[in-house]
Amino acid sequence: DAKTTQPTSMDCAEGRAANLPCNHSTISGNEYVYWYRQIHSQGPQYIIHGLKNNETNEMASLIITEDRKSSTLILPHATLRDTAVYYCIVRVGNTGNQFYFGTGTSLTVIP
Amino acid sequence: NAGVMQNPRHLVRRRGQEARLRCSPMKGHSHVYWYRQLPEEGLKFMVYLQKENIIDESGMPKERFSAEFPKEGPSILRIQQVVRGDSAAYFCASSPRGAEQFFGPGTRLTVL
C-alpha cells in the first residue's frame, strides 16, 4: 500500500472550512483514498473514501487531484467537536486488507 | 444497528497473567480486524479474520498472542503471560465486505 504524507498539525477557526491535505505520490491505479479521524482516545471514525472522483457525504468532501497524487479532506464548517487526529490512508479497495495508519494530522478547532 | 462492541473497556493484569479481549462486530459483518495503539502512536494492524478463519496475521507477535473468530460468538484476542510492553489500547474493527472498517471503542490494557 502506498505511503501518505500529512502535516503534523493544523489549526482552524470555528465555523470556517478545514482543509486537510494529503500527499500520496506513489498511489497505484487500484488504490482508494480513505479518511478516518480519532477523537481523543476513542476508536477511529470512518469519514469518507474515494478512487478518482470527488466525493461528498454528510460529514465531509474529498477532493482528489486528477493525477491522484494528492487529495484534500474538507470539513465545510468546522466545530469544536471536529478537533481530532485525521488519518489519510491509501489501500487497494474492497480487498479486506489492513489499513496502515500513519501519524495523521492533529486538527485543533479554535473558538 | 448497534456499533462494534468491545469488552472490557479497561483491563488490568499483572505480569504473567492472561488477557482476553472480546469484540462483537456489527450485525451482518463477517470481517474482523484487530489493531494495537501504543501511547502517542498511530494504530498498528495485528490480525484480520473472517468467520472461523485467520486471513492475515502478519502484524501479530509470534509468541503469546492469538486470535479467533468462531462461528458463534465474539472474536477473541488472547494475550498469554502479559508483560509491561503489552500495555496499550486494542481496537477491533468490523466490515461487511472488506472495504470501510468500523471501529469499536477499544480496550485499554494496563499491565502492572
Side-chain angles (χ1 to χ4, degrees):
Chain A
D1 287 335
K3 182 178 177 179
T4 63
T5 305
Q6 299 177 253
T8 303
S9 62
M10 292 180 61
D11 292 339
C12 177
E14 187 179 16
R16 296 293 192 111
N19 297 293
L20 291 88
C22 179
N23 287 321
H24 29 79
S25 57
T26 59
I27 193 170
S28 58
N30 61 348
E31 287 184 313
Y32 285 69
V33 180
Y34 287 81
W35 282 85
Y36 279 79
R37 72 180 182 184
Q38 188 173 26
I39 297 173
H40 193 44
S41 299
Q42 299 176 21
Q45 178 187 22
Y46 166 80
I47 301 173
I48 200 167
H49 75 283
L51 181 62
K52 58 177 74 174
N53 298 319
N54 298 337
E55 302 287 345
T56 295
N57 63 21
E58 64 278 5
M59 287 182 68
S61 295
L62 174 60
I63 309 298
I64 302 174
T65 58
E66 193 168 341
D67 63 8
R68 304 211 320 123
K69 292 183 184 301
S70 66
S71 60
T72 301
L73 178 75
I74 301 172
L75 307 178
H77 305 286
T79 71
L80 299 179
R81 287 180 294 181
D82 292 323
T83 293
V85 177
Y86 287 76
Y87 296 97
C88 169
I89 305 164
V90 294
R91 192 195 74 171
V92 176
N94 290 7
T95 61
N97 289 346
Q98 57 178 292
F99 283 115
Y100 290 92
F101 287 83
T103 52
T105 296
S106 178
L107 174 70
T108 301
V109 179
I110 302 169
Chain B
N1 188 9
V4 177
M5 295 177 11
Q6 292 188 248
N7 67 82
R9 297 290 304 277
H10 299 274
L11 182 62
V12 178
R13 285 287 179 265
R14 297 189 179 281
R15 281 179 297 171
Q17 292 184 318
E18 178 179 286
R20 282 190 178 226
L21 289 62
R22 294 175 186 77
C23 169
S24 296
M26 291 177 69
K27 187 176 181 181
H29 288 195
S30 59
H31 301 245
V32 166
Y33 309 78
W34 286 93
Y35 293 81
R36 176 166 63 177
Q37 185 173 33
L38 296 172
E40 308 303 323
E41 294 187 11
L43 280 75
K44 297 289 192 290
F45 167 78
M46 299 182 74
V47 63
Y48 163 35
L49 312 100
Q50 291 184 34
K51 280 291 187 181
E52 301 184 273
N53 292 305
I54 295 175
I55 307 302
D56 180 358
E57 57 181 347
S58 58
M60 286 273 274
K62 294 290 186 285
E63 299 177 351
R64 303 187 298 109
F65 286 73
S66 62
E68 62 177 10
F69 187 17
K71 187 176 181 180
E72 301 291 339
S75 175
I76 306 287
L77 179 67
R78 182 182 177 203
I79 311 173
Q80 296 178 290
Q81 299 173 356
V82 295
V83 300
R84 289 218 174 104
D86 296 332
S87 294
Y90 292 82
F91 291 98
C92 164
S94 74
S95 175
R97 56 189 177 279
E100 62 269 28
Q101 297 174 16
F102 299 90
F103 285 79
T107 294
R108 271 103 189 131
L109 172 65
T110 301
V111 179
L112 301 177

